[in-house]
């Protein structure tokens, strides 16, 4: 009886740690995304501003063709670039019209991606999540891990953009929960298959 009670308490604290980690990821997600080099995709909504030129400030969605349109410079391809790369390109083009422009690009709404969660989770299945979400967000969306889940070895299968090659990323979610090692909670990509 004492052993069962101890196991219940350990599992309860383990689940509490997972829920807390999910909440922290959601709250701090935006800051982490910029630090990790988030790349833009179709459907991302961007806020672009030029210091000292409020008339050039705009909020724009990346179109299905991968382009955005910005005042004075026209169309600019955005897919696959970071916010700082796109800002630098716009700044370079804008220098023809504005003296020493300082451009800022921020993602104000992330696109939706589709993922699949399988294995030892309460509700395996297909899910739609925001592109900046991480592995713990997907596990939480799938109802959390079951008692049989081994979070020290969670696999993420990622298919490249051509659809011809798949990489399996093995990650230690337990290490993220216990030690805060962010490599155990990677940002997900469209089409990822997670196996707990």
């Amino acid at each position: 009886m004492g052993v069962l009670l101890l196991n219940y308490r350990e599992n309860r604290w383990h689940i509490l740690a997972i829920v807390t980690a999910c909440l922290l990821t959601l709250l701090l997600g935006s800051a982490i995304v910029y630090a990790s080099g988030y790349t833009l995709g179709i459907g991302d909504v961007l806020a672009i501003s030029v210091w000292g030129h409020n008339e050039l400030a705009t909020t724009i969605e990346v179109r299905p063709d991968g382009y955005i349109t910005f005042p004075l410079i026209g169309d600019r391809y955005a897919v696959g670039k970071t916010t700082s790369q796109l800002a630098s390109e716009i700044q370079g083009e804008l220098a023809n019209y504005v003296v020493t422009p300082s451009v800022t690009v921020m993602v104000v709404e992330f696109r939706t991606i589709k993922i699949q969660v399988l294995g030892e989770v309460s509700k395996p299945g297909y899910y739609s999540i925001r592109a900046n979400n991480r592995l713990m967000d997907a596990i939480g969306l799938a109802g959390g891990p079951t008692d049989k889940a081994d979070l020290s070895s969670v696999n993420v299968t990622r298919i490249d953009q051509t659809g011809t090659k798949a990489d399996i990323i093995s990650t230690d979610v337990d290490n993220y929960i216990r030690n805060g090692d962010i490599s155990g909670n990677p940002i997900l990509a469209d089409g990822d298959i997670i196996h707990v």
Side-chain angles (χ1 to χ4, degrees):
M1 179 71 170
V3 172
L4 288 175
L5 186 57
L6 182 61
N7 285 339
Y8 169 75
R9 286 183 180 155
E10 285 178 4
N11 285 338
R12 184 180 62 174
W13 289 112
H14 191 71
I15 290 169
L16 181 61
I18 291 170
V19 170
T20 303
C22 286
L23 289 173
L24 284 173
T25 300
L26 287 172
L27 291 172
L28 301 174
S30 299
I32 293 167
V33 166
Y34 293 114
S36 64
Y38 174 77
T39 55
L40 300 172
I42 294 166
D44 282 330
V45 179
L46 311 176
I48 305 174
S49 60
V50 182
W51 189 80
H53 296 276
N54 292 340
E55 71 281 4
L56 294 176
T58 187
T59 300
I60 185 104
E61 183 175 339
V62 180
R63 299 190 312 246
D65 63 0
Y67 285 85
I68 60 163
T69 302
F70 191 74
L72 298 177
I73 65 169
D75 289 347
R76 174 66 51 188
Y77 193 73
V79 171
K81 297 175 182 173
T82 65
T83 53
S84 58
Q85 288 172 331
L86 184 60
S88 179
E89 288 182 12
I90 292 171
Q91 194 166 291
E93 290 286 327
L94 212 52
N96 296 323
Y97 308 98
V98 177
V99 177
T100 58
S102 178
V103 177
T104 302
V105 176
M106 295 186 338
V107 181
V108 293
E109 187 179 324
F110 293 93
R111 67 189 182 274
T112 301
I113 62 170
K114 305 237 185 262
I115 54 139
Q116 185 177 15
V117 187
L118 304 171
E120 293 297 331
V121 291
S122 297
K123 298 182 289 184
Y126 291 92
Y127 294 94
S128 294
I129 61 173
R130 291 286 175 195
N132 66 324
N133 283 0
R134 293 181 174 268
L135 179 58
M136 286 292 293
D137 299 319
I139 293 172
L141 199 58
T146 66
D147 290 339
K148 296 177 183 177
D150 177 11
L151 294 179
S152 66
S153 181
V154 176
N155 291 326
V156 178
T157 303
R158 182 165 295 164
I159 299 169
D160 70 358
Q161 292 180 347
T162 64
T164 57
K165 181 183 171 195
D167 290 323
I168 297 177
I169 304 159
S170 187
T171 185
D172 187 348
V173 176
D174 235 359
N175 191 30
Y176 169 71
I177 293 167
R178 295 181 192 280
N179 304 315
D181 182 356
I182 200 70
S183 67
N185 191 24
I187 292 175
L188 298 174
D190 194 29
D192 279 357
I193 302 168
I194 298 148
H195 190 271
V196 179

